Amino acid sequence: MTSTVPASLARAAGGSALQAVFLDMDGTLVDTEGFWWDAEREVFADLGHELDEAWRDVVVGGPMTRSAGYLIEATGADITLAELTVLLNERFEHRIARGVPLMPGAERLLAELAAHNVPTALVSASHRRIIDRVLASLGRDRFALSVAGDEVPRTKPHPDPYLLAARGVGADPSRCAVIEDTATGVAAAEAAGCRVVAVPSVAPIAPADGRIVVGSLEEVDVSFLRTLMTRMN
């Protein structure tokens, strides 16, 4: 976990129940879920295997170990998990070397969170080396901290990354809003006790108690997130 803001900043979120906002990265803030799938297809093509498009919904949003392990098993490729992880990260880094496209509404939402002094964290299942690359495009100073998938004993769908983020900004998880695009990420946030805004990218996500589903980040602002907290209390 990389932190740049004192934990006491959590109190700066203002006079609402909202203490902090945590955002997923791939498919939520940056339009890179397709980059990952393309990287996976290219690497396995080099290994002599073609990926079934149906597998995309299985691997999206999960930790590298789960996604890569599933694809090795599904294809029978002669490669170890450690070797495949290196190849996938390298191929993905090559794709994002010239910058990453932001999802609609991401730039405006990040600016608004900063303007309202709402502590914000980037919480991703991607490895630190990937997150640091993307932060160069997003703006590292926009986040109080960032949590990478290779920095926690258990990453998404386990609650550990979001619990770590909450501790990092000194916030109560139940008073934190999480924005996620996959069922895996939603499961992690809900297991941590956070309130969730789902913005589905690849696979649909159904509404549920404590969870609101929206079409894009264009529908989300600070007022929306504060209302989310009070509405679900």
Side-chain angles (χ1 to χ4, degrees):
M1 178 179 71
T2 298
S3 177
T4 59
V5 177
S8 59
L9 183 59
R11 291 190 291 272
S16 77
L18 180 67
Q19 290 186 343
V21 174
F22 306 144
L23 301 109
D24 173 56
M25 187 176 75
D26 296 299
T28 300
L29 282 178
V30 292
D31 192 7
T32 50
E33 290 292 11
F35 286 15
W36 277 114
W37 180 244
D38 289 344
E40 288 160 347
R41 287 195 309 168
E42 291 171 4
V43 168
F44 275 90
D46 291 345
L47 295 170
H49 298 274
E50 182 178 352
L51 299 188
D52 189 317
E53 192 69 24
W55 297 342
R56 184 175 181 180
D57 289 353
V58 179
V59 301
V60 68
M64 174 76 74
T65 51
R66 190 198 74 181
S67 301
Y70 174 86
L71 292 175
I72 290 173
E73 183 175 352
T75 61
D78 184 18
I79 189 171
T80 68
L81 183 60
E83 291 169 338
L84 180 57
T85 297
V86 170
L87 292 177
L88 290 174
N89 275 325
E90 288 178 347
R91 193 66 60 99
F92 184 78
E93 281 188 84
H94 178 73
R95 284 185 166 272
I96 65 173
R98 292 186 295 273
V100 291
L102 270 63
M103 298 296 287
E107 177 72 32
R108 187 264 317 152
L109 178 58
L110 289 174
E112 187 175 345
L113 289 168
H116 285 80
N117 294 317
V118 178
T120 305
L122 186 68
V123 181
S124 175
S126 292
H127 290 185
R128 170 55 58 188
R129 60 187 283 190
I130 300 297
I131 288 181
D132 285 344
R133 284 269 193 167
V134 175
L135 281 173
S137 294
L138 284 175
R140 195 178 303 271
D141 59 342
R142 287 173 155 172
F143 301 94
L145 59 87
S146 58
V147 178
D150 56 343
E151 295 175 338
V152 288
R154 303 182 306 169
T155 188
K156 304 173 187 180
H158 299 286
D160 306 38
Y162 284 112
L163 293 175
L164 181 60
R167 288 197 300 271
V169 298
D172 179 344
S174 68
R175 295 177 66 181
C176 297
V178 170
I179 304 177
E180 275 278 1
D181 73 304
T182 68
T184 299
V186 167
E190 291 179 343
C194 302
R195 306 301 171 87
V196 178
V197 178
V199 192
S201 60
V202 175
I205 298 172
D209 289 343
R211 177 198 315 166
I212 289 181
V213 180
V214 299
S216 81
L217 293 180
E218 298 282 13
E219 302 176 44
V220 182
D221 57 20
V222 171
S223 177
F224 175 93
L225 294 170
R226 286 177 172 164
T227 300
L228 171 74
M229 303 304 293
T230 57
R231 183 190 310 168
M232 294 181 174
N233 282 334

